[in-house]
Every structure is written in C-alpha cells, then in structure tokens.
Amino acid sequence: MDERVLARAQEWFGGDLLRAQVFLQRYALRDLEGRLLEVTPEQMWDRVARHVARAEDDRRAWRSRFRGLLEGFRFVPGGRILFGAGNPRRVTLFNCYFVPIRSDSVAGITRWMAEAARTYAAGGGVGTNVDVLRPRGSATASAGLVASGPVSFMEVFSALTGVMGSVEGRRGALMMTLRVDHPDVVEFVGSKSDPQRVRVQHANISLRVPDAFFAALDGDRPLRLWFRTPREQVERTVPARDVWERVVDAAWASAEPGLLFWDTVTREATAQYGGLEVEGVNVCGEVPMEAYGACNLGSLNLGAFVREPFRPGARVDWAALEEAVALAVRFLDDVVTVGAPRHPLRAQREASLRSRRVGLGVMGLADAMAMLGLRYGAEESLRWAEDCLRRVRDAAYAASVELAREKGSFPVFDPRRHEQSPFVQRLPEGLRRALRRWGLRNAALLAVAPTGSISLLAGASSGIEPIFGIRYTRLVAGQRHAAQHPLLDLYRRETGREDPDWPTAHQVDPLSRVRLQAAAQRYVDQSISSTVNLPASAGPEVVERVYRAAWELGCKGITVFREGSRAPVLEAAGSPVAVCTLCEPGPEGAGSLPSD
C-alpha cells in the first residue's frame, strides 16, 4: 500500500492506524486493476449515498439526505453496501443469504454447492440447515449402500467455503444448523470440539432447539431422534440430559455449537405466510429468514446521538435518533431496489423483492452507556437499553408504514396475518391502526448484528456488546495492532481523568449480558447476534446457566466464548478473549466470516 495514501487516511482518522487500515483494506473503492480510488471515508460516503439514491425519483435531494445520515458514522451500512455500492465489480450489496439444501440427494447436495459458490463469488455469506440430509448408516439406493451422514458433507461444505474465501476480494462465510432431534445430533455437536480432527474449519455451527426439548430435559425424559427417508424410518431415543451435557461441554471446549431457540424464532416472526415462512438463519444468526432470503444490514451508532458526553448534563438527543431511524429505514429499503440486479441467484432476487426485508440495528450501545454515566449490565443500564430499543422499533415501524403509503407495501403483505405475530401485537395501538390502513413496506425491519469490522471502522463498540477493553491488541490481516478504545481520548478531554472504570467484556456478569440481550430482543422483530464472554476458569455449569437463562428470558439465540477455548482475534491485558465466535473480522477474502 502507498505510504502516502496510508498517511493521509491515518490523518483523517486522527492518527488511528488500525481504523485507517481497515478502511483502506476492506471498504475503500478500487478500480478493476486494484488501484485505490478513495482515501477518506468522505469519498466513500459520497459514493454510497449517490448509488443508493438511484432508487428515488428526486435523486439529488435524497442523495444529500443520505450523505448527511452517513456523516460522522452516525449510521453505518453493512460492509457489503460500503464495499459494493457504486463498485464496478459485480458484487452483492447483501451480507448473507439462507441457501437451503433442496433435497436429501446427490442432486440436492451438488445444487447447494453450486449455489453457495456463486453466492461466495459475489461476496455473500451463506446459512443452511444440514438436517435435510439423512443420518449416517441409513439406507440409500446408490452404490454406497448406506449414507455417510450430514457431518461428512459439512466437511465438504466447509472446504468449499475455505477455497472460495482464499482468493483476495472474495468472502467465505458459512453457518450450518441442525435440529436437535436429528439422529446424528451427537456427531454434529462434537464436530468442532475434537482436537484430533477439527472437521469444520471454515464454518460455524448452531443447534435448533424447540421448547419441547427443555420440557424433556426438565422431566428427565428421553429425546426422540428421528428421520424419514423414502426407504425407511430411522428412530431411536436417548436421554435428553445426555444430549444437553454434550452441547454444554462442546460449547465450553470450543465455543460451539451456539443455540437457536426455534419455537421462539418462529413464534415471534412477523411474516409466517406468503412464502416468507422462516426456514433458517444467516451466518451470524441475527436474521431468521425464508428460503433464499437475504440480509440487508445497517447500524445506528448510538454514541453519536449523545450530547454533552461524560458531563452531568449528558443526554440522548432522541429526536435526532428517531429522525435518523426513519432515514435509515428508507436507505435500506432503497438498497433492496438498487441491489436487486446484483443478487447471485434469481431465487435470491425474487425472495428479497417479495419480502423487502431489512435489518436495521445498533452499535455503540456500550459507548452511549459510558457517555451517560451508566454502568453496563446494571439494572439502570438494562432499563435504558430497553427504552432505547423501544424508540428505535417505533420509529422504524412508523417509517415503514409511511413508505408503504408512498410506495406500496411489500408484495405479499396481509394485514390480518401480519397481526397474528406476537411481536406485531405488542406495537402501540396507533402504529397498528396505521399498519392496517396503509400497510407495511418491509416484512421485517430490525436486527442487531455483531458489527465487528464496521464498528471498528466507526470507532464504536460492537452491536450491543460491552466495550471489549480499554487497551488491547487486535489481529487484522495477519498483523498485530496495539489499540485503545476510541472513546478514551474524549473521556480524558471531558473529565480530566486518565483511565475510566468501564466494565469490559470479560468483567461483565454473564447473566447480566443475557438479561440485557433479552430486554433488547423484545423490541427487535428479527434477532440479535451476541456472544457472552467467560473467563478461562468458568466451568461447564456456567455455560449451562447462560444457555438456559437465554431460553427462559426469551432470547432467540445465544453463543458463548470461554477465554482460551479458541485462538483470539483480540487480546486484552495480555489475555486472549474474543468477542464473537460467529463473526470475527479478518482480512477481506481470507476465509474470515463477515462481521458486519
């Protein structure tokens, strides 16, 4: 990289070399020969606003408004939008897709591989369910006589993901899930924690667990494992407690599998009709969606809306935040339109236009708490987070109703069926009346992504996570960077003190983390990606309490990271502690999972 270009970008970022490198390596526009065409985020904001405003009749006016929204990282679109908008390369503007395995057959498997490869080539990540595939040892009509099972094909899918992500400019990111009552559940659960044979290096795994599993667990009853093929019914029972202990032990040892509480996911979904029925999740789990659905992400930087930070009069400018929410919803809805020609598959384009699904989330929640003098994880901070997400929800739904009034609802919108969702029933009555009268532009609106690399770009804490560390070392593109939290200089200027007493990721009580996530989830119509950090000394019983509390409190999914259980991307105070086992940032095109 040209040292003069790097120096100019570093100067723009106030001397922060890490943020400058992330911008130049991951998001700055390059020509087809790979030469940098952008040196500062202002040029990127101009490009992105201009491209997205193409969906509007009055392009000049909306370009100006979108540009103002992006200014100062008040709103940060997902990484695919930042990279792809206005890019001459044929790349998608959508971070992830759910690509189903359409049948339990060689044709279904090879079709999935072809569709996943095309999705990776365009820059998208992939989520899929492998429980479509028959269990190991079951009968087949092929020369192999018996099936090798879904885990064997997980190795193949993982290898494909690694190869497709090994070339500069491409991404490889894969989430594979399995229902807990599939006969190969034990093999699936252990597929990432056996130190002698790490089978699935380029993917993450989560288990889809219904409420009935916890009922069997509480009643000390057996779990029925089953699979039906055209040739036989595979069925047996195992103690639910045995499966649960294997899940907990594997998560303790390797940070996987994560859990998806599937009855909560489907029960709370806003559009379980019209071909939009939820089948699976994206790479990081924050967007449950239909077959070939796409996640179109962007995050509001909550810290940017705090006035007089670190002072006695610190407060949130709620009016400015709610205005930004409305504009961000319109921005993401326009991405659905301008991004339609860039989907790798026709089925993805059709699904996106059918639902007009968007995923507006937040970052910098922990920053805002610090600025306001709230201690992350304390009762007052939980109440504030709930109030904040409620305001974001109401402003987002009001904006989508107004867009429906102006441009029309998403094509299969049915007000009667939409209101069957418990989430929609909890909306204020005024919003529900407006929804019935004018419709809704987007089948779903809200999702909190981990925002790993885009929050680093913005100088903000990730998603709803606590501040990782006051000072830490970060690995980016194979290089170690000494870093400090970007708020530290502002804190020193405003308070005259050297070091703050902010609770960091490995200091916050794990159950407080779960309670905060659950409080936020009540106001998020899709889901939240969040990882609970645990010290190395935490035993499996701590993992069990975290997983169990997440289900009881109404979270849709959860994952944990015990210090030392996986090679870190971040190191705080000399100890390795990673923040998101699903989506850690890494070098573009190096097989890393998209964190934004």
Side-chain angles (χ1 to χ4, degrees), residues 66 77 85 119 160 172 194 223 268 291 303 321 371 376 383 431 463 479-480 506 519 541 558:
F66 290 156
T119 303
L160 171 68
D194 184 344
L223 173 67
E268 290 280 317
L321 176 61
M371 293 175 176
Y376 187 104
R383 291 193 295 271
L431 270 178
Q479 296 180 330
R480 298 170 72 87
H506 49 294
E541 70 281 358
I558 194 72

Side-chain angles (χ1 to χ4, degrees), residues 3-171:
E3 291 298 322
R4 291 172 298 178
V5 170
L6 180 58
R8 183 178 168 190
Q10 186 176 359
E11 180 183 9
W12 192 94
F13 281 103
D16 193 322
L17 177 61
L18 179 56
R19 291 176 67 193
Q21 288 184 320
V22 167
F23 167 68
L24 293 174
Q25 292 171 2
R26 297 182 71 100
Y27 303 119
L29 183 66
R30 297 172 181 264
D31 64 19
L32 295 177
E33 283 70 47
R35 293 183 293 263
L36 279 167
L37 301 177
E38 295 171 347
V39 182
T40 71
E42 290 170 325
Q43 296 168 308
M44 176 184 69
W45 295 332
D46 288 339
R47 165 175 55 87
V48 171
R50 180 172 59 252
H51 186 81
V52 175
R54 291 169 53 192
E56 299 287 352
D57 292 335
D58 190 345
R59 295 185 180 184
R60 183 184 298 271
W62 287 106
R63 173 184 172 184
S64 176
R65 295 192 67 185
F66 290 156
R67 177 61 172 77
L69 177 68
L70 299 172
E71 181 78 33
F73 297 110
R74 296 168 69 241
F75 169 70
V76 189
R80 295 296 86 194
I81 300 171
L82 294 180
F83 178 79
N87 195 319
R89 300 176 185 273
R90 189 170 179 80
V91 293
T92 181
L93 302 187
F94 294 73
N95 270 55
C96 303
Y97 297 84
F98 177 75
V99 178
I101 301 170
R102 302 307 299 176
S103 64
D104 174 32
S105 64
V106 171
I109 291 166
T110 55
R111 175 180 173 177
W112 183 90
M113 294 181 69
E115 292 181 337
R118 290 178 60 187
T119 303
Y120 295 147
V126 171
T128 197
N129 299 337
V130 296
D131 49 76
V132 173
L133 303 177
R134 69 189 67 191
R136 178 185 295 275
S138 55
T140 73
S142 68
L145 300 182
V146 297
S148 57
V151 174
S152 66
F153 287 103
M154 287 167 60
E155 299 179 54
V156 177
F157 299 163
S158 171
L160 171 68
T161 305
V163 169
M164 292 300 296
S166 65
V167 177
E168 185 176 358
R170 287 203 305 237
R171 299 294 292 274

Side-chain angles (χ1 to χ4, degrees), residues 366 368-378 380-382 384-385 502-503:
M369 288 180 179
M371 293 175 176
L372 295 168
L374 300 173
R375 189 168 183 82
Y376 187 104
E380 188 180 8
S381 74
L382 269 61
W384 180 85
W502 300 330

Side-chain angles (χ1 to χ4, degrees), residues 302 316 318 321-322 362 365-366 368-369 372 374 376-395 423 426 428 446 448 464 512-524 528 553-554:
L302 295 176
V316 178
W318 295 116
L321 176 61
E322 289 165 359
V362 298
L365 179 133
M369 288 180 179
L372 295 168
L374 300 173
Y376 187 104
E379 287 294 333
E380 188 180 8
S381 74
L382 269 61
R383 291 193 295 271
W384 180 85
E386 190 166 1
D387 180 50
C388 181
L389 271 295
R390 177 184 58 80
R391 290 172 182 268
V392 170
R393 177 202 65 180
D394 292 353
F423 182 91
R426 293 195 299 271
L446 303 162
V448 179
I464 65 164
S512 294
R513 290 282 304 277
V514 175
R515 292 176 61 213
L516 190 149
Q517 180 179 337
Q521 183 65 75
R522 287 193 283 272
Y523 301 95
V524 174
I528 296 172
L553 293 173

